[in-house]
Amino acid sequence: MTLKRILTIAAAFLGLILIFLWLANAFTEKLDTETRAQQAQSKPETVAVVAEPIRQQRAFSGSIQARQQASISARITARVAEVLVDAGDQVEAGDVLLRLENDDLSSRVRQQEQSLAAAQARVNEARLNFQRIEAVVSQGVLPEARLDEARAARDGAEADFIRARESLLEARTSESFSVILAPFSGVISRRAVFTGDTATPGMMLLSLYSPDSLRLEAGVSESVLANIQLGDKLAIALDALDTSLLGEVVEIEPAADSASRSFTIRLVPNSLDGLYQGMYGRVSVPAGEREVIHIPAAAITQIGQLHYAHVWHEQRLERRLVRLGERFQQQGENRVEVASGLQAGEEVRIHR
């Protein structure tokens, strides 16, 4: 190997060494890292991590239901002649909601009226005949048997009259079934028939409920049933409303559902504005106390799906991964439960 070739290899090797040193910042002036660390570690605004017993609440789902509601059904077979209301209409007790065709029913009423008039005439004749025969028999002109026959004819005519009167009452009652009246004041929640439809006995025509009787019905676990008493005021949350409500417990069913092992409770909200039957809601029920470690929500930083808190430890800030629990308010401040990552008494930085 020639001297020239050896010098070339040595120069290349030296060049590689210089490149590595440059990449490693060997030619850059060193900074005073100790001074920078001291300046960065001046104590910021911190708050203490608190551990205290907090009353627990469990939320149970339910729905708004009316205590006074009715499904109005047909009691006769007839064609729908007229529907006077629609869903959402406000009605008063006794208002006409719907009419069915009643020509045949009215005809039957007239027939029964004629039958009753004929029965009345026969009764009058039988009574007069009985009186005449009774007078003659008392004089000994006719035998007692004729009086018995007259009495039987009178009693039969009276029985026919009573039967005709009851038949007329039945016909009029059937005719009244053709006019559907509101049983109480409320709101029409559903209209199931239209003009020209055929109504049959038991067929649902309209549904009606009273807005003043709306309540929240919810199924609560038997584990918290002992924490609920009649008259208690519990918090109610409705997805359709932004405001929170209080509901008074007015009824607790004393039997559990065999499938869910839950008991149904009913609460009357302190305001019925904006409530409609069937709305979804949740009721918060006291569930005892437990020790909770919590900090202000402003002490939490989030990076991606991870949550961190900066802990003041040994005169420096230490970023620590935390696992959060429920969020709540305490004295108007948003706070968050820390399930792991912090200990009571430690200090965390507040982000303003």
Side-chain angles (χ1 to χ4, degrees), residues 13 19 59 72 81 108 129 132 191 221 264 315 326 346:
F13 182 72
I19 291 173
I72 301 173
R108 183 184 173 193
N129 189 44
R132 286 194 297 266
R191 168 182 172 176
S221 172
T264 299
Q315 303 302 313
E326 298 180 358
E346 291 184 317

Side-chain angles (χ1 to χ4, degrees), residues 40-290:
Q41 299 304 311
S42 59
K43 186 176 181 180
E45 181 183 359
T46 61
V47 293
V49 179
V50 179
E52 61 181 350
I54 292 182
R55 295 183 60 184
Q56 297 299 297
Q57 301 283 332
R58 288 185 61 186
F60 297 93
S61 60
S63 62
I64 299 294
Q65 298 293 333
R67 182 177 183 274
Q68 190 175 27
Q69 56 182 315
S71 294
I72 301 173
S73 304
R75 301 184 64 176
I76 59 174
T77 300
R79 187 178 298 276
V80 177
E82 186 179 16
V83 182
L84 302 176
V85 294
D86 209 341
D89 289 349
Q90 184 83 32
V91 298
E92 300 295 331
D95 287 352
V96 178
L97 307 179
L98 182 145
R99 288 190 177 93
L100 304 177
E101 292 183 354
N102 61 353
D103 294 342
D104 54 340
L105 298 175
S106 298
S107 177
R108 183 184 173 193
V109 169
R110 290 191 293 270
Q111 291 175 6
Q112 293 300 327
E113 288 175 345
Q114 296 299 322
S115 297
L116 180 64
Q120 180 69 65
R122 288 193 295 272
V123 166
N124 294 338
E125 180 183 3
R127 288 173 178 173
L128 290 175
N129 189 44
F130 174 77
Q131 292 175 0
R132 286 194 297 266
I133 293 177
E134 184 181 29
V136 175
V137 170
S138 64
Q139 296 174 3
V141 177
L142 293 176
E144 289 288 339
R146 291 293 302 276
L147 182 61
D148 293 339
E149 293 175 359
R151 182 181 292 108
R154 183 199 61 183
D155 293 345
E158 289 178 349
D160 290 341
F161 173 77
I162 294 174
R163 187 180 304 109
R165 186 177 59 190
E166 294 300 323
S167 296
L168 176 60
L169 180 61
E170 180 183 1
R172 286 175 174 170
T173 301
S174 297
E175 184 184 32
S176 68
F177 292 158
S178 65
V179 180
I180 310 298
L181 305 179
F184 54 83
S185 299
V187 175
I188 302 296
S189 58
R190 184 184 177 191
R191 168 182 172 176
V193 294
F194 297 86
T195 302
D197 292 345
T198 299
T200 56
M203 175 181 176
M204 199 275 284
L205 307 175
L206 302 165
S207 58
L208 172 73
Y209 75 91
S210 173
D212 295 334
S213 67
L214 291 175
R215 304 179 298 179
L216 177 70
E217 296 186 4
V220 301
S221 172
E222 58 185 348
S223 62
V224 299
L225 187 65
N227 300 331
I228 306 173
Q229 301 293 330
L230 291 177
D232 287 351
K233 302 292 180 56
L234 304 180
I236 295 175
L238 297 171
D239 289 351
L241 300 178
D242 295 333
T243 58
S244 58
L245 301 174
L246 285 179
E248 180 180 355
V249 179
V250 295
E251 185 177 345
I252 303 175
E253 289 191 356
D257 180 77
S258 57
S260 63
R261 307 306 308 166
S262 62
F263 291 79
T264 299
I265 65 172
R266 296 180 175 88
L267 306 94
V268 176
N270 59 352
S271 175
L272 300 178
D273 295 339
L275 298 187
Y276 296 96
Q277 182 165 270
M279 278 185 171
Y280 173 78
R282 294 179 301 277
V283 57
S284 296
V285 179
E289 293 184 349
R290 68 183 178 94

